[in-house]
Amino acid sequence: MKPKTLVTREIFDDVLDYLAEHFMVSANQADTPMDPGTLARNLADKAGVMTTLVDKVDAALLAGCPQLKAVCNIAVGFNNIDLAACSRAGVMVTNTPGVLDDSTADFTWALILATARRVVESDAHLRRGEWKGWYLKQFLGADVHHATLGILGFGRIGRKVARRALGFDMPVIYHSHRRAEPEVERACNATFVTREELLARADILSLHVPYAPATHHLIGRAELARMKPGAILVNAARGGVVDDAALVDALAKGRLAGAGLDVFENEPALNPALIGLPNVVLTPHIASSSAATRHAMAMLAARNLVAALTTGNPPNLLNPPPTGA
Ligand code: GLV
């Protein structure tokens, strides 16, 4: 008998067809979010699951799923999954790196440009019927070209964002836990700086770090205070990396010129004060959401699941067993 698997949210039909060649698949194509109890009930007899970043996989869930062998997240981030608990339970965990880098970098630029040049604010003005005609000082924004772009986190996506800055003639500075190789720095025209320098010098600061205890509120009150007055902050990485309440204060006081945010603390709830601020661009965690990329992510997660349950060695395994095991 084919192994039983679960897909927690709606995915593409051809990806389901591919899964069905290998598994008995229960798919939540109605796309209703599963609360922890529902997820636990649905997963109790399954060997594998394709999760999304809103599905929490922790020790409590795993305790009720003795047959579970693989959790394949349809996301590059995996802070919804307790990796150590999965390893203890002998459950393989995979993510979807690589396939979403370009789309996420593109979207980061959408946020940079929309925030600096006040695209959303002026669009709303027009839709409200308030436009009375052209005048010189209307919606004065910040120039993106030749501004200094700061990148915090210089992995695959951070580097793609940096490369796109070449076309805007921007000096790029970055900070990361590890300095990139000289050829990468050259290709991105990017200079490694300390975190302090990054905060002090960036006109536009874009975040590209994963969420983990070590990156919780990495940009908090103190860091915002060290940023250049009038700078712009962009977060298309993960909620929780920024202290949203501190950011609201910095924006409301005019300390920062604006923020472009695709991710938030406590999604899908938003800090209500963000809604009232005209100088923020808000999008609902869609940086990777081009049709082609979301399909590629789902297919990669499906391939990971098939490999996990057939060979025990999925390509994007996050928790390989210790060597010698
Ligand atoms: C999206 O946020 C992802 O981690 O893939």
Side-chain angles (χ1 to χ4, degrees):
M1 207 173 60
K2 290 175 177 173
K4 290 184 183 167
T5 60
L6 173 71
V7 182
T8 64
R9 298 297 292 268
E10 183 180 7
I11 58 166
F12 302 91
D13 289 346
D14 63 317
V15 180
L16 268 187
D17 292 345
Y18 168 67
L19 286 171
E21 288 168 22
H22 302 269
F23 309 126
M24 290 184 29
V25 186
S26 302
N28 179 17
Q29 289 295 83
D31 212 21
T32 40
M34 288 191 195
D35 58 47
T38 312
L39 181 58
R41 269 194 309 285
N42 279 281
L43 210 48
D45 61 343
K46 303 296 188 297
V49 59
M50 264 169 64
T51 48
T52 68
L53 54 85
V54 298
D55 301 309
K56 193 165 174 202
V57 178
D58 57 13
L61 178 77
L62 295 170
C65 309
Q67 300 173 44
L68 195 64
K69 294 275 170 300
V71 174
C72 299
N73 219 27
I74 313 174
V76 65
F78 50 90
N79 54 297
N80 57 310
I81 299 171
D82 183 336
L83 209 57
C86 286
S87 300
R88 281 196 299 276
V91 173
M92 291 171 269
V93 180
T94 65
N95 66 342
T96 60
V99 291
L100 48 75
D101 300 347
D102 280 302
S103 296
T104 304
D106 287 352
F107 196 83
T108 302
W109 273 93
L111 288 176
I112 291 173
L113 290 163
T115 307
R117 298 304 307 276
R118 304 175 66 181
V119 172
V120 176
E121 200 185 341
S122 56
D123 174 282
H125 172 81
L126 214 121
R127 287 172 198 273
R128 285 193 303 265
E130 289 170 1
W131 192 33
K132 301 283 185 290
W134 190 94
Y135 64 94
L136 193 66
K137 288 181 156 181
Q138 192 171 31
F139 287 110
L140 299 177
D143 270 328
V144 171
H145 67 85
H146 295 96
T148 298
L149 176 65
I151 298 184
L152 185 57
F154 209 57
R156 287 181 311 267
I157 297 171
R159 293 171 191 199
K160 295 265 185 190
V161 170
R163 279 189 63 85
R164 283 157 173 72
L166 291 168
F168 288 86
D169 297 316
M170 298 170 85
V172 178
I173 52 178
Y174 77 96
H175 182 77
S176 204
H177 63 284
R178 199 164 51 83
R179 186 168 176 174
E181 305 73 29
E183 57 275 19
V184 173
E185 291 189 347
R186 261 195 307 277
C188 299
N189 194 27
T191 307
F192 181 82
V193 295
T194 63
R195 201 156 69 93
E196 288 309 300
E197 226 184 313
L198 185 79
L199 294 171
R201 282 180 49 198
D203 295 306
I204 298 164
L205 178 63
S206 190
L207 310 178
H208 298 285
V209 293
Y211 181 76
T215 57
H216 179 73
H217 287 185
L218 193 61
I219 300 296
R221 219 163 277 281
E223 291 73 22
L224 290 164
R226 278 184 225 130
M227 282 177 69
K228 202 166 169 176
I232 286 170
L233 180 70
V234 171
N235 187 7
R238 268 295 181 278
V241 171
V242 175
D243 177 344
D244 286 352
L247 177 61
V248 163
D249 278 357
L251 289 163
K253 288 183 182 134
R255 182 73 185 57
L256 296 190
L261 306 172
D262 186 49
V263 289
F264 308 90
E265 290 191 274
N266 311 313
E267 290 173 18
L270 290 193
N271 183 317
L274 282 172
I275 310 271
L277 290 170
N279 50 344
V280 290
V281 174
L282 307 170
T283 52
H285 204 147
I286 54 166
S288 66
S289 194
S290 74
T293 291
R294 285 282 166 95
H295 181 273
M297 290 164 68
M299 192 48 110
L300 184 54
R303 290 194 195 288
N304 277 321
L305 186 55
V306 170
L309 297 186
T310 54
T311 69
N313 190 20
N316 305 115
L317 186 61
L318 291 163
N319 56 344
T323 23

